Amino acid sequence: MESIWRKTCTIEERETLNREIQTEVAVIGAGMAGLLTAYQLKKASVHAVVLEAKRIGNGQTKNTTAKITSQHGLFCDAFIRKKGQKTAGQYVQANQKAIEEYEQIIQENNIECDFERTSSYVYSKNEKKLRNEAKAAAKLGIAASYVRHIEIPVPCAGAVRFEGQAQFHPLKFMKAIAEQLEIYENTPVRKVEGNLIQTAQGIVKADKIVFATHYPFVNFPGLYFTRMHQERSYVLALEDAGVINGMYIGDGEESYSFRRYGKYLLFGGQGHRTGENTGGKRYEMLRQKAKQFFPDAKEVAHWSAQDCITSDQVPFVGKYAKTRPGWFVATGFQKWGMTSSMVASKILCDMICGVENPYAKTFSSRRFSTEEVPQILKDGAKAVNGLSKRFFQVPEKAREELETGHGGIVKTKTGKAGVYKMEGERDCKVQSACCHLGCQVAWNPDEKTWECPCHGSRFDCHGNLLDGPAQEGIQYE
Ligand SMILES: Cc1cc2nc3c(=O)[nH]c(=O)nc-3n(C[C@H](O)[C@H](O)[C@H](O)COP(=O)(O)OP(=O)(O)OC[C@H]3O[C@@H](n4cnc5c(N)ncnc54)[C@H](O)[C@@H]3O)c2cc1C
């Protein structure tokens, strides 16, 4: 189902690139990160073109909840302890500045995108944790405080409030920005070699290349697939849920997200690692919670999205790899891609223009720390598990044992396949291995999609590509 943003904003279609062009910078991906980067470059008088596989904003950004906030969970206290006050301060200040930058762009360009200032809150049952977090955030220069009572009906010991945060309609914002940019839609990049980009029907020669593709799809060099995984979560848009002024998210388990958009309340949760929802019922469980919190509310839309998670909870922004000096990347936004995209766009623009950026080191894509090791090992173990399932796991079910309306990996004459058994129609059959790095895909009954548990690529029930890092489908030949 379409998000509330898609239902309320149409962006005019752009031409497909079908010739050879030359540019100073090619930005791959027209999500929030790609468009903002191209926008900053334009402001710095650098010629940039944007190459988009599908349509503008049609990646994860169309399904965000679009809170623009520097409050990325209860993280300040833990960050100071892990990374030190200087780095923690840089992270928070860069994100706080991103809010001001949005407001400035919106004002300068008279963009009607329902931008409004409000406070953000993280609620928790642990009062001590909340009080420590409020103190830590204040130490980092944020107008933060502990509040005992909040306006949403969740059981908690209060919340940490950040003042001066914001929310908006992401696609209305992107539509206005896009009008100023040279963008080619339905132009998937197939190959990048040096400064040469091959798209489905054209060629781009670019002095510099920015990968703003949500998950970077060139595996070597870069090795981003060893440093990130993806997590998916679900959103309901509710009518008649009462008025909520702030933006809220919970800490730890039972974490739900709340924000208002006009007469709607956006209520999110039920997150999981992509590829690990074989049991389904995520929407159902979210609906049950919605009923409990807002008994009179009616659902008007539902959707889901996913984001890339790094081991140390900081995005990767900067050079793609040591051996590719002209390539840049912005990824790993941890479900905080509105401010992170803005931060990334400023850093990348400065790097490309040879200007020093005070936040570049904190977000550097080439940073490595021992802190990453446990998560890298965990993600590595998941990848090995996904691969071994493909080679060694014999499917438990024959096709006949699948319930109608369900999907699963089943035995075939030559091995195995993913099968979605549809009511009164022929089965939908797909390859059981993801075409990215070969892990066995798993069925997500809530979305009726195939998902890769290793790196988070997604495919529809026919095997058509929905989300990367895979760049092709898994159709059954
Ligand atoms: C449920 C949920 C709620 C969220 N809510 C918030 C929130 O309230 N606030 C917040 O800050 N963040 C939030 N986020 C995170 C935020 O939505 C994302 O981080 C952000 O939208 C990612 O933007 P992007 O530009 O990196 O990626 P995308 O929007 O996915 O854009 C990437 C683009 O690259 C294109 N592409 C990929 N491969 C190619 C190729 N080979 N050639 C050409 N183009 C290509 C894709 O088609 C796509 O359009 C949320 C995330 C989730 C999952």
Side-chain angles (χ1 to χ4, degrees), residues 32-33 52-53 60-61 64-65 67 189 307 335 337-338 471:
M32 191 59 88
E52 167 54 47
Q60 304 310 320
T61 305
T64 180
T65 45
K67 298 171 184 166
V189 169
D307 213 355
K335 300 190 187 172
M338 299 299 103
Q471 294 291 302

Side-chain angles (χ1 to χ4, degrees), residues 40-195:
Q40 306 286 4
L41 288 166
K42 185 171 194 278
K43 260 178 53 179
S45 304
V46 177
H47 183 249
V49 300
V50 183
L51 308 169
E52 167 54 47
K54 295 175 192 163
R55 303 287 319 278
I56 295 164
N58 216 33
Q60 304 310 320
T61 305
K62 69 176 183 305
N63 289 343
T64 180
T65 45
K67 298 171 184 166
I68 310 175
T69 178
S70 59
Q71 191 179 33
H72 298 177
L74 292 184
F75 73 102
C76 293
D77 191 32
F79 244 52
I80 293 174
R81 276 188 274 116
K82 270 197 286 188
K83 296 203 174 251
Q85 185 157 338
K86 188 168 170 231
T87 306
Q90 296 258 310
Y91 181 87
V92 174
Q93 288 307 329
N95 281 285
Q96 188 60 32
K97 271 197 177 171
I99 307 170
E100 323 302 332
E101 185 77 16
Y102 269 109
E103 190 163 38
Q104 200 182 331
I105 293 175
I106 289 164
Q107 279 171 1
E108 275 173 13
N109 295 281
N110 282 324
I111 302 175
E112 286 184 12
C113 60
D114 309 315
F115 178 88
E116 53 181 322
R117 287 283 193 161
T118 183
S119 294
S120 72
Y121 300 79
V122 179
Y123 64 85
S124 165
K125 287 182 181 162
N126 186 336
E127 185 177 332
K128 188 161 175 250
K129 200 171 172 191
L130 291 170
R131 288 188 182 278
N132 287 343
E133 176 69 8
K135 263 192 230 147
K139 233 195 265 175
L140 300 179
I142 297 287
S145 53
Y146 165 74
V147 289
R148 178 65 193 90
H149 299 289
I150 54 173
E151 58 187 333
I152 51 166
V154 290
C156 67
V160 176
R161 176 175 62 205
F162 275 25
E163 288 165 33
Q165 312 299 297
Q167 57 189 13
F168 70 161
H169 187 310
L171 295 188
K172 285 187 183 173
F173 174 80
M174 290 173 87
K175 179 177 175 156
I177 293 295
E179 275 163 16
Q180 305 181 27
L181 302 173
E182 184 176 338
I183 303 174
Y184 297 94
E185 289 187 317
N186 302 306
T187 300
V189 169
R190 300 277 190 231
K191 203 167 174 192
V192 187
E193 266 178 348
N195 68 342

Side-chain angles (χ1 to χ4, degrees), residues 66 133 189 230 241 274 328 335 452:
E133 176 69 8
V189 169
Q230 300 206 56
T274 305
F328 298 83
K335 300 190 187 172
C452 171

Side-chain angles (χ1 to χ4, degrees), residues 293-447:
F293 294 149
F294 311 103
D296 299 328
K298 286 191 291 291
E299 181 183 324
V300 292
H302 66 267
W303 64 88
S304 68
Q306 64 189 35
D307 213 355
C308 302
I309 312 294
T310 64
S311 317
D312 64 354
Q313 279 86 54
V314 179
F316 293 132
V317 180
K319 291 269 167 94
Y320 199 95
K322 211 170 159 195
T323 54
R324 300 289 185 280
W327 292 14
F328 298 83
V329 68
T331 187
F333 294 160
Q334 325 279 330
K335 300 190 187 172
W336 296 112
M338 299 299 103
T339 53
S340 303
S341 289
M342 185 64 83
V343 173
S345 71
K346 301 284 284 181
I347 293 176
L348 294 181
C349 179
D350 282 350
M351 285 178 91
I352 288 167
C353 296
V355 175
E356 201 173 317
N357 183 295
Y359 305 113
K361 193 165 167 237
T362 298
F363 292 85
S364 169
S365 44
R366 306 315 305 149
R367 69 181 184 275
F368 285 100
S369 74
T370 47
E371 214 187 296
E372 286 190 49
V373 173
Q375 189 60 40
I376 289 174
L377 292 176
K378 213 167 139 191
D379 287 346
K382 291 265 180 199
V384 170
N385 188 28
L387 270 174
S388 60
K389 267 191 183 160
R390 175 186 162 199
F391 290 112
F392 304 118
Q393 191 185 60
V394 179
E396 282 166 16
K397 287 188 178 175
R399 182 253 168 223
E400 291 67 32
E401 292 167 70
L402 270 183
E403 278 177 53
T404 306
H406 287 264
I409 303 291
V410 300
K411 285 180 243 165
T412 63
K413 277 183 200 144
T414 50
K416 53 187 169 178
V419 167
Y420 169 43
K421 199 166 165 184
M422 290 197 289
E423 186 119 29
E425 292 183 51
R426 284 183 59 189
D427 291 349
C428 273
K429 215 176 189 186
V430 302
Q431 305 279 355
S432 60
C434 175
C435 54
H436 173 231
L437 287 172
C439 294
Q440 181 166 299
V441 293
W443 180 247
N444 179 344
D446 286 305
E447 295 294 339

